[in-house]
Amino acid sequence: MSMPDDQPVSNGSRPTTADGGSSSKNDPLIGREYGIYRIVRRLGSGGMGVVYEALDTRLSRTVAIKMLADELTDNDDTLRRFENEARATARLNHPNVVTIHEFGHAENHRFLVMELMPGGSVQDHLRNHGSLSWEKATAIIAGACRGLAVAHEAGLIHRDIKPANLLLSADGTVKLGDFGLARSVHRSNSGITSTGHVLGTPAFMSPEQCRAEMLEPRSDLYSLGATYYHLLTSRFPYPVGDPMQVMFSHCSAPVPDPRHVNKDIPDECAAIVMKAMAKKRGDRHADAMTMLAELEQILSATLALSAAVQTPVPRLVKPTIPPVPVGDDSPSLTITDRRMPIISEKPPARRRFFMIGGSSVGIILLAGIGYVVTRGKGKSEGTQEEQKPVPPDPVPPVVTAQNPGKALTVVRRKSLPGHSGEIRTVRFSPDGKLLATAGEDLHVRLWKMPEGTEHYVLNGHKGRAYCAAFAPDNRTVATGDDQGIRFWGATSGEQLRNVSGLGAIFDVAFSHDGNQLAAAKGYAGLVVWTRNGRVGLNPLHNASLGNQLAVAIEYTADDRSIDIVTFQGAIHRFDAITGKEVDSVRRLRGIRISTSYGPHGELVAFGTGRGPMLWKPLTKEPPVSLASGIGEMNAVAFSPDGGTLAYGPGSDGSFWLRHLATKQETRHRTDNFLRSVAFSPDGKTLVTGGGHEGEVILWDVREAD
Amino acid sequence: MDQQNTHLNQITTRWPLITDPAQFVLRYATAIRCYLAAIIRDPHDLEDVIQDFLARVIERGLVQENAVRGRFRDYLKVSVRNAALSHLRRRSDNQAADGQLETIPAENDAGSAADNEWIAEWRGTMLGQALEKLEDQERLAPAGRLYLTLTLARDHPEADSVTLAELAAKKSGRPMTPEAFRKQLSRARTVLANLLVDEVRRTIENATPEQIDEELAELGLQELVRPFRE
């Protein structure tokens, strides 16, 4: 085994864009022009070449130019890595990733033009200013984690995460840089070059990288954990010296505890370091979002504490939650503003109910947790005063004991042709004018309602399309498939954005104010983003559910919480801002097939071989069987007024409408096995989907005799 | 340099699958550390021995002082043990380290605590490597779901195939019948068994099927592998 010359051993230094770097008067490139770029001064040098500050004479902006060293231009491996860096980074467009402007060559020089990072690297900052507080270290690693999450989402592994590659903008934002070693996660990439050199920086290399084995995103998380250790302690995780010894330590020595160096480091920070640096990949954080969630929890607690005592927290970087831009359809209330009511408000005295149009997973307001809802765009504050719920027209009023509503029946109106596979989701837009159907034939279709005419076919899903959700403004649709999330224009049918590399997304939900998007990501649990414009997403937090499979997701009416329903029959409630789990309910015995939430906080769930069971979460009451002996249920939905439950299928493909107050039931036949069901927001239409041939049927809802 | 090349050539000739002795040492780093920790009490001596051993590997490859044929596992243990002895003997010239020397087990220490530690870590490394290879294969070609079925069966030992098939279907986004799950699980175990056999074969000079069986048995892997070997 040998180490290439450009891999530093002891300090991990790499080409940087450090401000205040040495400028050499003898450097022949100073003052020269390469195309539109005039070299101004030398910033630093590293293994691959020299980095200069330059002036873009066309746009009158300063940039950084990394010039590949002359002696390396004939080296195919190096050239390939240089170009690789350009392409890899250019694909990423995120506040926590250094922007690449251009890659080119002139006069036998190959160069990379990128944004100038006047703050230098984190390594430079440590060298010039000494150690960091744990708060600053955590904020830096959280920013880096966001950049890493984006890279991993795009299918890239960085392979050289370390303090020298975490760069600081003028406002202190941390950005990932130097993707020269990045490689696609889908390629059989190992940590070794074609000439047998191990790649990376030994002080921060994962065990599998040391062994030149196949790398994957969790390899980057190890390096980030090692970097975090370094920022917290100003020491390397393992004593640096001979590279082989360092690598041997990464492979075999106990995971270092930063508290052994500094006992004032919080336990939570140490836990993150030690988990990220687990020897086995399976023992580390599942992905960057999971690690980010834990980091955000620490930072949120710091923010809450500082707000409570009104003590400002010194910040090296911007607040971790970016504001929603003004001018978008989403509310003008910024996320940071939303945080304050959670800290300073007391829980309201009485609970309120609120409902939006039907879907197989409808509105949630769990009993026992007090939230006051006021209708209106963006308003989600709670108060202690009683407020009358203001449901949107034309949603029918919620039934009460005094006014239990009427029993319902349905009459078949028409079939909606087009799908050829099982229909996994049927969902109305909030205004009821569109219906989305997601099917195993890889398509999502949009239909105009109430006519039931085809509006658009949303093509391009990878694998099965599991879910669809409309943004509160009715303009945007988010769909989930086997590889991630896609955004579509509801009126144009055009795909606006593809967020791939997430894995299977079983359910998505917009917050009611449109500021957030949450996804049920199977065994990876909950993932939450803040929205940046119509399709922009900034990772906020995520939460793992261990060995439970997250299959359905919904925001509470006030957007303060997110409920995740698992295949194993549990409900977990998370704080929408911090991602911290705040409550959970006991599991329903048997395997949950589908759920629906009623307007009074009740929940209906199904178990294998059982009929529907009515269940009130967070109470001591046991589930109540609504009917028995009717086999496995696939779909359930409450009517908008909460008085009726639609569920099915029976063994012959039929489904039922059951009026809960009177237990009056009507049975209806379909030609196919029911898989999904939903009421329109006005309660006048029922949609059933499912079966093996993609049948979608519209039914007119009427009062039963 | 010639001597180094000669030694390295010997290694690669005898174990042609080992192309880089240093990489191989890193592969079994945990076993080496645990074995040394079992025979050397002083943690500072432990780190010094490791440093010496690694420096020798880099400089000279895995130089054999006594001809040890057959299993690389034995060879590596002898090399590590000799590195410990050499270091402690050098120390005993200046310091009283005879007590430490006495704790170094004999070359043939089968059944000793240190040897048991060595075997346990070696076995763990082989299993871990085989599982990670299976996971890596699935990452590149997810359709097989072999790693998925194996880990689901491992994590839910009480679940029946109906339950496991549902879990696999949900996690992979593709339907799976209980029968298909059972078939894939059997296939996964076969693939894992063969990966384990490959790992073992790498570490035995001119491995014969009997030698592989013997090594699997000594490592406690035979019962795991035998029903599924192709």
Side-chain angles (χ1 to χ4, degrees):
Chain A
M1 182 188 66
S2 61
M3 304 292 292
D5 291 339
D6 63 344
Q7 296 304 317
V9 172
S10 59
N11 62 11
S13 62
R14 295 278 288 172
T16 68
T17 56
D19 198 8
S22 62
S23 60
S24 168
K25 291 182 181 177
N26 295 326
D27 191 320
L29 297 189
I30 303 292
R32 289 186 64 174
E33 293 194 358
Y34 291 90
I36 61 172
Y37 303 104
R38 185 186 311 134
I39 305 297
V40 173
R41 65 188 180 113
R42 181 179 171 131
L43 293 176
S45 63
M48 292 262 279
V50 182
V51 181
Y52 298 92
E53 179 181 324
L55 176 67
D56 177 343
T57 57
R58 185 178 57 187
L59 297 177
S60 297
R61 65 177 177 183
T62 49
V63 297
I65 291 187
K66 184 187 290 187
M67 204 74 74
L68 186 64
D70 288 343
E71 59 270 23
L72 296 177
T73 52
D74 292 331
N75 184 310
D76 288 343
D77 240 0
T78 307
L79 266 180
R80 191 167 47 248
R81 278 159 51 192
F82 201 67
E83 292 183 12
N84 185 49
E85 176 179 2
R87 291 197 185 90
T89 321
R91 286 163 51 189
L92 307 175
N93 178 19
H94 189 269
N96 293 111
V97 177
V98 171
T99 301
I100 297 294
H101 298 312
E102 189 178 340
F103 169 76
H105 60 90
E107 299 181 24
N108 292 328
H109 284 112
R110 290 181 187 266
F111 57 87
L112 194 64
V113 184
M114 51 197 169
E115 66 173 305
L116 183 66
M117 300 295 287
S121 72
V122 171
Q123 184 67 37
D124 296 329
H125 187 88
L126 284 171
R127 192 181 301 125
N128 297 330
H129 302 288
S131 59
L132 298 171
S133 66
W134 65 262
E135 294 95 335
K136 290 183 182 179
T138 304
I140 289 172
I141 296 299
C145 214
R146 272 194 212 88
L148 210 54
V150 169
H152 293 167
E153 270 185 42
L156 290 173
I157 306 171
H158 188 284
R159 302 201 294 177
D160 199 15
I161 297 293
K162 59 185 179 185
N165 287 339
L166 305 185
L167 306 176
L168 300 168
S169 64
D171 61 6
T173 301
V174 174
K175 303 199 180 205
L176 275 187
D178 205 333
F179 278 76
L181 299 184
R183 186 64 73 92
S184 167
V185 69
H186 299 296
R187 295 172 61 182
S188 179
N189 80 93
S190 70
I192 196 165
T193 69
S194 57
T195 54
H197 293 143
V198 172
L199 295 171
T201 307
F204 304 97
M205 279 166 61
S206 63
E208 57 270 22
Q209 198 168 2
C210 296
R211 295 189 296 258
E213 294 169 356
M214 184 174 289
L215 305 183
E216 47 122 307
R218 289 173 296 186
S219 307
D220 279 342
L221 296 186
Y222 182 100
S223 299
L224 192 62
T227 300
Y228 193 16
Y229 180 98
H230 186 57
L231 300 192
L232 288 170
T233 64
S234 298
R235 297 186 187 183
F236 295 102
Y238 300 108
V240 292
D242 181 77
M244 182 67 175
Q245 182 136 14
V246 176
M247 289 191 284
F248 192 87
S249 294
H250 280 299
C251 293
S252 65
V255 179
D257 186 339
R259 291 168 297 186
H260 292 167
V261 178
N262 180 356
K263 58 178 172 51
D264 294 329
I265 292 171
D267 294 344
E268 292 81 0
C269 298
I272 293 175
V273 169
M274 297 177 75
K275 185 170 183 178
M277 291 189 69
K279 304 298 180 195
K280 294 181 182 176
R281 299 178 303 192
D283 292 338
R284 301 172 199 160
H285 300 91
D287 50 35
M289 290 293 289
T290 306
M291 188 171 173
L292 178 63
E294 295 183 6
L295 292 163
E296 290 282 6
Q297 283 192 6
I298 297 173
L299 292 170
S300 299
T302 305
L303 189 67
L305 182 62
S306 74
V309 300
Q310 297 187 348
T311 302
V313 176
R315 284 190 173 277
L316 180 65
V317 296
K318 273 183 176 175
T320 57
I321 301 174
V324 176
V326 177
D328 188 78
D329 278 347
S330 51
S332 60
L333 189 67
T334 64
I335 300 294
T336 48
D337 290 344
R338 281 183 63 204
R339 293 170 61 85
M340 296 310 296
I342 296 172
I343 297 166
S344 59
E345 270 190 2
K346 293 178 183 176
R350 300 178 61 172
R351 65 169 191 248
R352 289 291 177 263
F353 309 105
F354 181 69
M355 212 171 75
I356 300 177
S359 64
S360 58
V361 178
I363 307 307
I364 298 170
L365 183 62
L366 300 186
I369 295 187
Y371 287 96
V372 172
V373 176
T374 56
R375 178 64 174 157
K377 218 174 184 184
K379 290 209 178 273
S380 58
E381 301 94 324
T383 74
Q384 292 195 7
E385 295 179 358
E386 186 167 328
Q387 291 194 3
K388 190 176 181 180
V390 183
D393 289 327
V395 177
V398 171
V399 298
T400 62
Q402 292 72 33
N403 183 16
K406 304 281 188 180
L408 300 177
T409 186
V410 292
V411 174
R412 184 171 180 147
R413 187 196 313 166
K414 68 183 289 188
S415 293
L416 305 183
H419 280 293
S420 58
E422 188 176 290
I423 305 301
R424 302 292 293 260
T425 294
V426 291
R427 185 162 284 177
F428 282 90
S429 59
D431 61 7
K433 293 180 180 176
L434 288 176
L435 171 73
T437 54
E440 291 192 347
D441 58 356
L442 315 186
H443 301 316
V444 173
R445 292 172 187 269
L446 297 182
W447 312 84
K448 291 182 181 176
M449 300 300 290
E451 306 88 347
T453 55
E454 188 172 278
H455 185 45
Y456 284 107
V457 179
L458 307 182
N459 288 318
H461 292 92
K462 297 298 182 186
R464 296 177 180 186
Y466 294 110
C467 54
F470 287 87
D473 63 4
N474 299 293
R475 291 173 56 219
T476 307
V477 183
T479 62
D481 59 28
D482 271 323
Q483 291 193 5
I485 294 173
R486 295 170 194 273
F487 292 94
W488 312 80
T491 52
S492 65
E494 179 189 352
Q495 184 172 166
L496 303 175
R497 186 184 172 189
N498 171 25
V499 184
S500 63
L502 299 178
I505 300 293
F506 293 123
D507 199 12
V508 287
F510 288 90
S511 59
H512 300 102
D513 61 12
N515 287 341
Q516 288 188 356
L517 182 77
K521 200 180 163 191
Y523 282 107
L526 164 70
V527 184
V528 181
W529 299 266
T530 54
R531 294 182 68 204
N532 184 4
R534 196 173 176 190
V535 298
L537 294 175
N538 296 323
L540 182 57
H541 57 75
N542 68 349
S544 169
L545 298 176
N547 62 354
Q548 295 192 59
L549 190 68
V551 294
I553 193 167
E554 190 61 62
Y555 279 83
T556 55
D558 62 359
D559 284 338
R560 287 189 180 185
S561 302
I562 300 168
D563 288 317
I564 283 266
V565 183
T566 73
F567 185 74
Q568 287 81 357
I571 306 173
H572 298 266
R573 171 163 285 195
F574 293 88
D575 184 285
I577 296 296
T578 66
K580 185 176 178 182
E581 182 168 331
V582 296
D583 215 334
S584 62
V585 298
R586 64 180 183 276
R587 298 178 184 185
L588 183 67
R589 292 181 62 185
I591 296 178
R592 185 208 69 82
I593 302 295
S594 65
T595 55
S596 180
Y597 290 84
H600 301 286
E602 64 276 45
L603 168 71
V604 178
F606 297 95
T608 305
R610 303 176 184 219
M613 303 191 76
L614 194 65
W615 175 28
K616 294 183 180 180
L618 305 180
T619 68
K620 302 296 183 186
E621 301 170 28
V624 175
S625 176
L626 291 181
S628 60
I630 49 177
E632 189 170 292
M633 295 290 126
N634 279 334
V636 64
F638 272 96
S639 61
D641 66 1
T644 297
L645 196 68
Y647 59 87
S651 55
D652 59 355
S654 56
F655 66 95
W656 290 261
L657 292 180
R658 182 185 178 99
H659 188 236
L660 296 175
T662 62
K663 299 183 183 177
Q664 185 177 346
E665 215 167 57
T666 57
R667 183 172 179 168
H668 309 276
R669 296 288 298 274
T670 68
D671 298 328
N672 261 305
F673 232 56
L674 190 71
R675 185 63 178 87
S676 48
V677 64
F679 284 91
S680 61
D682 62 8
K684 296 178 180 177
T685 302
L686 181 78
V687 177
T688 58
H692 306 295
E693 295 173 4
E695 188 184 48
V696 179
I697 304 174
L698 299 184
W699 308 76
D700 290 323
V701 179
R702 298 176 184 173
E703 290 182 2
D705 296 331
Chain B
M1 178 62 75
D2 285 342
Q3 185 184 28
Q4 178 182 351
N5 285 340
T6 300
H7 287 307
L8 287 173
N9 285 338
Q10 284 181 346
I11 295 296
T12 54
T13 298
R14 293 177 60 186
W15 287 287
L17 294 180
I18 301 174
T19 56
D20 187 332
Q23 282 295 313
F24 214 83
V25 162
L26 288 177
R27 191 184 190 89
Y28 295 99
T30 307
I32 292 170
R33 180 178 288 273
C34 288
Y35 178 70
L36 285 172
I39 65 174
I40 297 178
R41 296 190 200 121
D42 188 291
H44 297 296
D45 279 334
L46 170 65
E47 293 301 327
D48 287 343
V49 169
I50 289 174
Q51 192 169 5
D52 281 354
F53 173 73
L54 295 176
R56 283 154 60 114
V57 169
I58 290 293
E59 261 181 65
R60 302 158 63 188
L62 287 161
V63 179
Q64 59 188 47
E65 292 167 7
N66 299 309
V68 177
R69 296 204 167 267
R71 296 188 298 211
F72 184 72
R73 171 166 64 88
D74 295 332
Y75 180 74
L76 185 59
K77 194 177 90 170
V78 166
S79 298
V80 171
R81 176 184 173 275
N82 288 345
L85 275 174
S86 298
H87 176 80
L88 291 176
R89 281 179 186 141
R90 283 199 303 275
R91 279 197 63 223
S92 70
D93 291 335
N94 300 318
Q95 296 172 278
D98 295 336
Q100 272 277 45
L101 280 169
E102 289 172 0
T103 66
I104 304 296
E107 194 168 298
N108 181 8
D109 63 342
S112 70
D115 187 56
N116 290 340
E117 194 73 31
W118 175 254
I119 290 176
E121 290 298 329
W122 193 272
R123 175 178 58 241
T125 298
M126 289 214 156
L127 255 177
Q129 293 284 342
L131 271 171
E132 288 198 348
K133 274 189 185 167
L134 192 63
E135 185 182 15
D136 290 338
Q137 286 175 10
E138 190 150 303
R139 186 174 305 109
L140 294 175
R145 296 189 285 187
L146 298 182
Y147 182 78
L148 174 64
T149 54
L150 204 61
T151 49
L152 283 175
R154 177 196 65 191
D155 296 340
H156 304 273
E158 304 299 324
D160 59 17
S161 55
V162 172
T163 307
L164 291 170
E166 287 276 359
L167 291 173
K170 286 288 183 181
K171 189 157 190 186
S172 64
R174 285 175 286 134
M176 195 173 211
T177 64
E179 185 188 353
F181 185 92
R182 287 191 293 272
K183 282 184 181 172
Q184 283 300 89
L185 180 61
S186 175
R187 177 74 189 139
R189 286 171 173 155
T190 301
V191 172
L192 184 67
N194 288 319
L195 286 172
L196 271 171
V197 169
D198 280 344
E199 289 287 327
V200 168
R201 184 180 296 116
R202 285 169 174 269
T203 65
I204 300 175
E205 181 185 5
N206 299 322
T208 65
E210 292 74 24
Q211 286 173 324
I212 293 174
D213 280 341
E214 184 184 341
E215 177 72 346
L216 286 168
E218 285 203 24
L219 291 175
L221 294 172
Q222 186 67 293
E223 294 307 314
L224 188 70
V225 160
R226 185 190 287 127
F228 305 104
R229 280 178 68 180
E230 287 175 341

